[in-house]
Protein backbone atom coordinates (compact mmCIF):
# COMPACT_ATOMS: atom_id res chain seq x y z
CA UNK A 1 0.00 0.00 0.00
CA UNK A 2 1.55 3.28 -1.16
CA UNK A 3 -0.37 6.36 -0.05
CA UNK A 4 -0.30 10.07 -0.88
CA UNK A 5 -1.93 12.75 1.30
CA UNK A 6 -2.20 16.13 -0.39
CA UNK A 7 -2.47 18.85 2.21
CA UNK A 8 -0.46 16.48 4.40
CA UNK A 9 1.23 19.35 6.21
CA UNK A 10 -2.07 20.78 7.42
CA UNK A 11 -3.73 19.99 10.71
CA UNK A 12 -6.12 17.30 9.48
CA UNK A 13 -3.74 15.85 6.91
CA UNK A 14 -1.00 15.51 9.52
CA UNK A 15 -3.39 13.91 12.02
CA UNK A 16 -4.50 11.47 9.34
CA UNK A 17 -0.88 10.62 8.53
CA UNK A 18 -0.05 9.88 12.17
CA UNK A 19 -3.18 7.75 12.52
CA UNK A 20 -2.28 5.74 9.41
CA UNK A 21 1.29 5.17 10.57
CA UNK A 22 0.03 4.02 13.97
CA UNK A 23 -2.53 1.73 12.38
CA UNK A 24 -0.02 0.29 9.91
CA UNK A 25 -2.62 -0.95 7.42
CA UNK A 26 -5.26 0.42 5.08
CA UNK A 27 -7.94 -1.74 3.46
CA UNK A 28 -6.26 -4.69 5.22
CA UNK A 29 -2.98 -4.07 3.38
CA UNK A 30 0.32 -3.13 5.00
CA UNK A 31 1.38 0.50 4.47
CA UNK A 32 4.75 0.51 2.71
CA UNK A 33 5.03 4.22 1.87
CA UNK A 34 3.19 7.38 2.97
CA UNK A 35 3.99 10.60 1.10
CA UNK A 36 2.84 13.94 2.49
CA UNK A 37 2.40 16.64 -0.14
CA UNK A 38 2.07 20.30 0.82
CA UNK A 39 3.81 23.66 0.67
CA UNK A 40 5.12 23.36 4.25
CA UNK A 41 5.20 20.79 7.04
CA UNK A 42 5.20 20.72 10.86
CA UNK A 43 8.60 20.62 12.53
CA UNK A 44 7.71 17.42 14.39
CA UNK A 45 7.39 15.04 11.44
CA UNK A 46 7.67 11.46 12.73
CA UNK A 47 11.01 9.77 12.04
CA UNK A 48 9.50 6.80 10.25
CA UNK A 49 11.11 5.01 7.28
CA UNK A 50 7.70 4.72 5.64
CA UNK A 51 7.17 8.51 5.68
CA UNK A 52 8.28 11.07 3.08
CA UNK A 53 7.42 14.77 2.66
CA UNK A 54 7.39 16.58 -0.67
CA UNK A 55 6.97 20.37 -0.82
CA UNK A 56 5.44 22.07 -3.83
CA UNK A 57 2.34 23.37 -5.60
CA UNK A 58 -0.31 20.71 -6.18
CA UNK A 59 -1.75 22.68 -9.10
CA UNK A 60 1.57 22.31 -10.99
CA UNK A 61 1.28 19.18 -13.16
CA UNK A 62 5.05 18.71 -13.09
CA UNK A 63 5.09 18.66 -9.30
CA UNK A 64 2.02 16.41 -9.13
CA UNK A 65 3.76 13.94 -11.44
CA UNK A 66 6.56 13.66 -8.86
CA UNK A 67 4.14 13.43 -5.94
CA UNK A 68 1.90 10.70 -7.35
CA UNK A 69 4.12 7.88 -8.59
CA UNK A 70 2.92 5.20 -10.98
CA UNK A 71 2.71 2.66 -8.14
CA UNK A 72 0.50 4.86 -5.90
CA UNK A 73 -2.43 2.84 -4.60
CA UNK A 74 -4.35 5.39 -2.49
CA UNK A 75 -4.74 9.18 -2.40
CA UNK A 76 -6.35 11.40 0.22
CA UNK A 77 -6.88 14.75 -1.50
CA UNK A 78 -7.18 17.40 1.23
CA UNK A 79 -5.14 20.25 -0.28
CA UNK A 80 -7.22 23.40 -0.78
CA UNK A 81 -7.42 27.16 -0.56
CA UNK A 82 -9.91 27.57 2.28
CA UNK A 83 -13.29 29.26 2.04
CA UNK A 84 -12.57 32.88 3.00
CA UNK A 85 -9.35 32.94 0.98
CA UNK A 86 -11.00 31.40 -2.09
CA UNK A 87 -13.74 34.03 -1.90
CA UNK A 88 -11.25 36.89 -1.51
CA UNK A 89 -8.91 35.68 -4.26
CA UNK A 90 -10.95 34.06 -7.02
CA UNK A 91 -7.97 33.23 -9.24
CA UNK A 92 -6.05 31.54 -6.43
CA UNK A 93 -9.07 29.43 -5.47
CA UNK A 94 -9.63 28.36 -9.05
CA UNK A 95 -5.97 27.53 -9.57
CA UNK A 96 -5.53 25.42 -6.44
CA UNK A 97 -9.00 24.02 -5.79
CA UNK A 98 -9.90 23.21 -9.38
CA UNK A 99 -6.50 23.18 -11.06
CA UNK A 100 -5.08 21.10 -8.23
CA UNK A 101 -7.91 18.59 -8.47
CA UNK A 102 -7.48 18.32 -12.23
CA UNK A 103 -3.70 17.84 -11.88
CA UNK A 104 -4.22 15.07 -9.30
CA UNK A 105 -6.86 13.31 -11.37
CA UNK A 106 -4.85 13.51 -14.59
CA UNK A 107 -1.88 11.97 -12.82
CA UNK A 108 -3.98 9.07 -11.50
CA UNK A 109 -4.51 7.95 -15.08
CA UNK A 110 -0.78 7.19 -15.25
CA UNK A 111 -0.89 4.85 -12.26
CA UNK A 112 -0.36 1.15 -12.91
CA UNK A 113 -3.69 0.36 -11.23
CA UNK A 114 -6.59 2.79 -10.66
CA UNK A 115 -5.91 4.23 -7.18
CA UNK A 116 -8.54 4.65 -4.51
CA UNK A 117 -9.09 8.40 -3.96
CA UNK A 118 -10.83 10.06 -1.01
CA UNK A 119 -11.68 13.73 -1.57
CA UNK A 120 -12.35 16.27 1.19
CA UNK A 121 -15.39 18.17 -0.04
CA UNK A 122 -17.54 20.45 2.13
CA UNK A 123 -21.09 21.28 3.17
CA UNK A 124 -20.31 24.64 1.51
CA UNK A 125 -21.63 22.70 -1.51
CA UNK A 126 -25.08 23.80 -0.31
CA UNK A 127 -26.57 27.27 -0.22
CA UNK A 128 -29.41 29.48 -1.37
CA UNK A 129 -33.02 28.65 -0.49
CA UNK A 130 -32.61 25.56 1.68
CA UNK A 131 -35.01 23.38 3.66
CA UNK A 132 -34.73 23.50 7.45
CA UNK A 133 -33.16 20.03 7.40
CA UNK A 134 -31.12 18.89 4.43
CA UNK A 135 -30.94 15.25 3.41
CA UNK A 136 -29.24 13.09 0.82
CA UNK A 137 -31.64 14.26 -1.90
CA UNK A 138 -30.93 17.99 -1.46
CA UNK A 139 -29.40 19.47 -4.60
CA UNK A 140 -26.12 21.38 -4.12
CA UNK A 141 -26.41 25.08 -4.97
CA UNK A 142 -23.23 26.68 -3.57
CA UNK A 143 -23.22 30.42 -2.89
CA UNK A 144 -19.43 30.82 -2.62
CA UNK A 145 -16.55 30.24 -5.02
CA UNK A 146 -15.11 27.69 -2.59
CA UNK A 147 -18.36 25.72 -2.53
CA UNK A 148 -18.62 25.84 -6.32
CA UNK A 149 -15.06 24.55 -6.68
CA UNK A 150 -15.83 21.69 -4.31
CA UNK A 151 -18.98 20.68 -6.22
CA UNK A 152 -17.20 20.71 -9.59
CA UNK A 153 -14.47 18.56 -8.04
CA UNK A 154 -17.08 16.10 -6.74
CA UNK A 155 -18.42 15.70 -10.29
CA UNK A 156 -14.92 15.09 -11.61
CA UNK A 157 -14.25 12.43 -8.96
CA UNK A 158 -17.52 10.71 -9.88
CA UNK A 159 -16.83 10.84 -13.61
CA UNK A 160 -13.25 9.57 -13.28
CA UNK A 161 -14.68 6.73 -11.15
CA UNK A 162 -17.32 5.97 -13.78
CA UNK A 163 -14.61 5.80 -16.42
CA UNK A 164 -12.57 3.42 -14.26
CA UNK A 165 -9.60 5.76 -13.89
CA UNK A 166 -9.96 5.85 -10.08
CA UNK A 167 -12.09 4.39 -7.30
CA UNK A 168 -13.22 7.69 -5.84
CA UNK A 169 -15.32 8.79 -2.91
CA UNK A 170 -16.08 12.41 -1.83
CA UNK A 171 -16.90 13.37 1.75
CA UNK A 172 -18.81 16.59 2.41
CA UNK A 173 -17.19 17.67 5.66
CA UNK A 174 -18.93 19.68 8.36
CA UNK A 175 -16.94 22.48 10.01
CA UNK A 176 -14.07 20.79 11.88
CA UNK A 177 -13.92 21.86 15.55
CA UNK A 178 -11.66 22.33 17.48
CA UNK A 179 -8.56 23.15 15.41
CA UNK A 180 -5.46 24.07 17.45
CA UNK A 181 -3.00 26.85 16.64
CA UNK A 182 -3.87 30.18 15.08
CA UNK A 183 -6.93 31.10 13.04
CA UNK A 184 -6.61 30.67 9.27
CA UNK A 185 -8.41 32.36 6.36
CA UNK A 186 -11.39 29.99 6.46
CA UNK A 187 -14.71 31.68 7.15
CA UNK A 188 -15.39 28.82 9.57
CA UNK A 189 -12.29 29.65 11.61
CA UNK A 190 -14.43 31.38 14.25
CA UNK A 191 -16.00 28.05 15.27
CA UNK A 192 -12.66 26.78 16.58
CA UNK A 193 -11.39 30.13 17.86
CA UNK A 194 -14.45 30.75 20.02
CA UNK A 195 -13.58 27.57 21.93
CA UNK A 196 -9.80 27.47 21.62
CA UNK A 197 -8.89 31.02 22.65
CA UNK A 198 -10.82 31.28 25.94
CA UNK A 199 -9.67 27.79 26.98
CA UNK A 200 -6.08 28.96 26.46
CA UNK A 201 -6.57 32.15 28.46
CA UNK A 202 -6.93 34.45 25.44
CA UNK A 203 -9.72 36.99 24.90
CA UNK A 204 -11.65 36.48 21.66
CA UNK A 205 -13.92 38.78 19.64
CA UNK A 206 -16.38 36.54 17.83
CA UNK A 207 -17.29 37.93 14.38
CA UNK A 208 -20.75 36.31 14.35
CA UNK A 209 -23.81 36.66 16.62
CA UNK A 210 -24.47 34.13 19.41
CA UNK A 211 -27.42 32.53 17.60
CA UNK A 212 -25.23 31.48 14.64
CA UNK A 213 -25.49 27.73 14.15
CA UNK A 214 -22.73 25.42 12.91
CA UNK A 215 -22.84 21.86 11.58
CA UNK A 216 -19.65 20.44 13.05
CA UNK A 217 -17.47 17.37 13.46
CA UNK A 218 -14.39 16.83 15.62
CA UNK A 219 -10.87 16.13 14.31
CA UNK A 220 -11.05 12.64 15.83
CA UNK A 221 -14.20 11.79 13.91
CA UNK A 222 -13.07 13.25 10.59
CA UNK A 223 -9.82 11.25 10.63
CA UNK A 224 -11.87 8.13 11.34
CA UNK A 225 -14.20 9.10 8.49
CA UNK A 226 -11.37 9.39 5.96
CA UNK A 227 -10.03 5.95 6.81
CA UNK A 228 -13.51 4.40 6.91
CA UNK A 229 -14.43 5.95 3.54
CA UNK A 230 -11.28 4.53 2.00
CA UNK A 231 -11.82 1.04 3.37
CA UNK A 232 -15.43 0.71 2.22
CA UNK A 233 -15.59 -1.48 -0.90
CA UNK A 234 -16.60 0.20 -4.16
CA UNK A 235 -19.83 -1.80 -4.26
CA UNK A 236 -21.04 -0.01 -1.11
CA UNK A 237 -20.78 3.33 -2.92
CA UNK A 238 -22.31 2.27 -6.20
CA UNK A 239 -22.72 5.11 -8.70
CA UNK A 240 -23.19 7.75 -5.98
CA UNK A 241 -19.67 8.67 -4.91
CA UNK A 242 -20.60 11.56 -2.59
CA UNK A 243 -21.83 11.48 1.01
CA UNK A 244 -22.80 14.12 3.58
CA UNK A 245 -20.94 13.22 6.76
CA UNK A 246 -22.86 13.14 10.06
CA UNK A 247 -22.32 16.01 12.47
CA UNK A 248 -24.00 17.91 15.28
CA UNK A 249 -25.70 21.30 15.18
CA UNK A 250 -24.36 23.74 17.77
CA UNK A 251 -24.82 27.50 18.15
CA UNK A 252 -22.06 29.88 19.19
CA UNK A 253 -24.00 30.50 22.41
CA UNK A 254 -24.04 26.75 23.17
CA UNK A 255 -20.29 26.55 22.57
CA UNK A 256 -19.69 29.36 25.05
CA UNK A 257 -22.01 27.73 27.58
CA UNK A 258 -20.05 24.45 27.26
CA UNK A 259 -16.78 26.33 27.82
CA UNK A 260 -18.18 27.71 31.07
CA UNK A 261 -19.27 24.26 32.17
CA UNK A 262 -15.87 22.71 31.46
CA UNK A 263 -13.43 25.54 32.29
CA UNK A 264 -15.44 27.91 34.48
CA UNK A 265 -17.16 31.28 34.23
CA UNK A 266 -13.93 33.21 33.76
CA UNK A 267 -13.13 31.33 30.56
CA UNK A 268 -16.62 31.97 29.24
CA UNK A 269 -16.28 35.71 29.89
CA UNK A 270 -13.27 35.94 27.59
CA UNK A 271 -15.61 35.85 24.57
CA UNK A 272 -17.05 39.13 23.27
CA UNK A 273 -18.73 39.95 19.96
CA UNK A 274 -17.70 42.20 17.06
CA UNK A 275 -19.70 41.49 13.90
CA UNK A 276 -17.77 40.97 10.65
CA UNK A 277 -20.25 41.44 7.81
CA UNK A 278 -18.05 39.67 5.25
CA UNK A 279 -17.73 36.48 7.31
CA UNK A 280 -21.39 36.67 8.33
CA UNK A 281 -22.46 36.85 4.67
CA UNK A 282 -20.49 33.67 3.85
CA UNK A 283 -21.49 31.64 6.91
CA UNK A 284 -25.19 32.52 6.50
CA UNK A 285 -25.22 30.57 3.23
CA UNK A 286 -24.12 27.35 4.96
CA UNK A 287 -26.65 24.75 6.15
CA UNK A 288 -26.72 23.80 9.82
CA UNK A 289 -29.00 20.75 10.00
CA UNK A 290 -28.75 17.49 8.08
CA UNK A 291 -30.43 14.11 8.05
CA UNK A 292 -27.54 11.81 7.11
CA UNK A 293 -29.22 8.44 6.73
CA UNK A 294 -26.91 7.26 3.93
CA UNK A 295 -23.76 8.10 5.86
CA UNK A 296 -25.11 6.34 8.95
CA UNK A 297 -25.97 3.27 6.88
CA UNK A 298 -22.42 3.27 5.52
CA UNK A 299 -21.06 3.28 9.08
CA UNK A 300 -19.98 6.91 9.53
CA UNK A 301 -20.51 8.42 12.99
CA UNK A 302 -20.94 11.87 14.55
CA UNK A 303 -19.73 13.18 17.90
CA UNK A 304 -21.88 12.70 21.01
CA UNK A 305 -22.13 16.44 21.72
CA UNK A 306 -20.19 19.69 22.03
CA UNK A 307 -19.02 18.84 25.56
CA UNK A 308 -17.35 15.69 24.19
CA UNK A 309 -15.78 17.64 21.31
CA UNK A 310 -14.25 20.18 23.71
CA UNK A 311 -13.00 17.56 26.17
CA UNK A 312 -11.42 15.58 23.30
CA UNK A 313 -9.64 18.75 22.13
CA UNK A 314 -8.27 19.35 25.64
CA UNK A 315 -7.05 15.74 25.86
CA UNK A 316 -5.63 15.47 22.32
CA UNK A 317 -3.81 18.80 22.35
CA UNK A 318 -2.63 18.72 25.98
CA UNK A 319 -4.48 21.93 26.83
CA UNK A 320 -4.46 23.09 30.43
CA UNK A 321 -7.79 24.91 30.41
CA UNK A 322 -7.36 28.39 31.88
Amino acid sequence: MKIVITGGGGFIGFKLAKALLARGTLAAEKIARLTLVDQAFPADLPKDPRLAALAGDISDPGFTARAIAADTTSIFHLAAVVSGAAEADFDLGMRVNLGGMRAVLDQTRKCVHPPRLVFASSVAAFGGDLPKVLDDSTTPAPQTSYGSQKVVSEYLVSDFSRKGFIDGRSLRLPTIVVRPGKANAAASSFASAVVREPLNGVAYECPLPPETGVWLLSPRRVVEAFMHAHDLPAAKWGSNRVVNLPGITVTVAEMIEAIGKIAGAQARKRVSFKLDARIDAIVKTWPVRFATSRARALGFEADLGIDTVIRDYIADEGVRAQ
Side-chain angles (χ1 to χ4, degrees):
M1 181 68 68
K2 297 180 180 179
I3 305 165
V4 172
I5 303 177
T6 74
F11 169 58
I12 298 300
F14 192 46
K15 269 192 174 294
L16 174 60
K18 289 191 288 187
L20 288 170
L21 290 173
R23 178 175 166 178
T25 61
L26 195 59
E29 292 186 34
K30 186 177 180 180
I31 296 172
R33 184 181 71 214
L34 176 56
T35 304
L36 306 185
V37 176
D38 213 322
Q39 293 188 316
F41 301 94
D44 59 337
L45 283 176
K47 297 185 185 304
D48 190 304
R50 297 168 295 175
L51 185 66
L54 190 63
D57 181 354
I58 197 65
S59 66
D60 174 5
F63 171 73
T64 308
R66 290 194 291 122
I68 301 173
D71 59 352
T72 299
T73 49
S74 300
I75 302 166
F76 293 89
H77 184 41
L78 280 61
V81 171
V82 293
S83 53
E87 194 66 16
D89 190 335
F90 178 78
D91 293 325
L92 177 64
M94 290 291 286
R95 179 174 65 80
V96 176
N97 294 345
L98 273 188
M101 171 57 85
R102 184 60 194 271
V104 167
L105 289 175
D106 284 348
Q107 188 60 30
T108 63
R109 297 181 64 184
K110 300 173 185 177
C111 291
V112 175
H113 301 289
R116 193 168 289 190
L117 184 145
V118 182
F119 170 53
S121 188
S122 169
V123 294
F126 299 101
D129 187 14
L130 293 170
K132 288 185 178 180
V133 180
L134 283 70
D135 61 24
D136 297 316
S137 67
T138 305
T139 302
Q143 300 299 301
T144 62
S145 297
Y146 174 76
S148 298
Q149 291 150 11
K150 289 294 189 181
V151 172
V152 172
S153 296
E154 291 175 4
Y155 280 121
L156 289 173
V157 169
S158 292
D159 196 44
F160 271 62
S161 297
R162 181 185 65 83
K163 296 290 286 185
F165 301 144
I166 62 170
D167 176 4
R169 46 287 306 269
S170 299
L171 310 184
R172 289 183 183 139
L173 273 56
T175 296
I176 306 304
V177 176
V178 180
R179 292 175 179 266
K182 296 181 179 179
N184 62 18
S188 60
S189 184
F190 77 93
S192 286
V194 76
V195 174
R196 179 185 63 238
E197 311 301 39
L199 286 179
N200 286 280
V202 178
Y204 179 67
E205 287 185 337
C206 183
L208 297 168
E211 63 273 16
T212 301
V214 185
W215 179 248
L216 63 83
L217 189 68
S218 71
R220 281 191 187 186
R221 288 296 190 195
V222 78
V223 167
E224 291 170 2
F226 280 125
M227 294 189 291
H228 181 67
H230 178 281
D231 285 358
L232 284 170
K236 291 283 187 179
W237 292 91
S239 61
N240 184 359
R241 294 299 176 128
V242 186
V243 69
N244 301 320
L245 286 187
I248 55 174
T249 302
V250 185
T251 65
V252 169
E254 289 168 339
M255 292 182 191
I256 296 170
E257 181 182 352
I259 292 167
K261 185 191 306 181
I262 293 167
Q266 195 61 39
R268 185 180 65 235
K269 290 176 182 177
R270 294 190 184 107
V271 181
S272 58
F273 293 88
K274 184 179 180 181
L275 185 65
D276 185 318
R278 182 186 68 86
I279 295 176
D280 190 42
I282 294 174
V283 173
K284 276 182 177 177
T285 69
W286 295 347
V288 297
R289 289 178 175 80
F290 285 81
T292 54
S293 56
R294 181 167 185 255
R296 299 281 189 177
L298 286 170
F300 294 99
E301 296 182 358
D303 297 281
L304 296 177
I306 187 60
D307 288 14
T308 301
V309 170
I310 294 173
R311 293 185 191 281
D312 286 349
Y313 160 70
I314 291 171
D316 291 349
E317 302 302 325
V319 175
R320 296 185 63 183
Q322 302 292 312

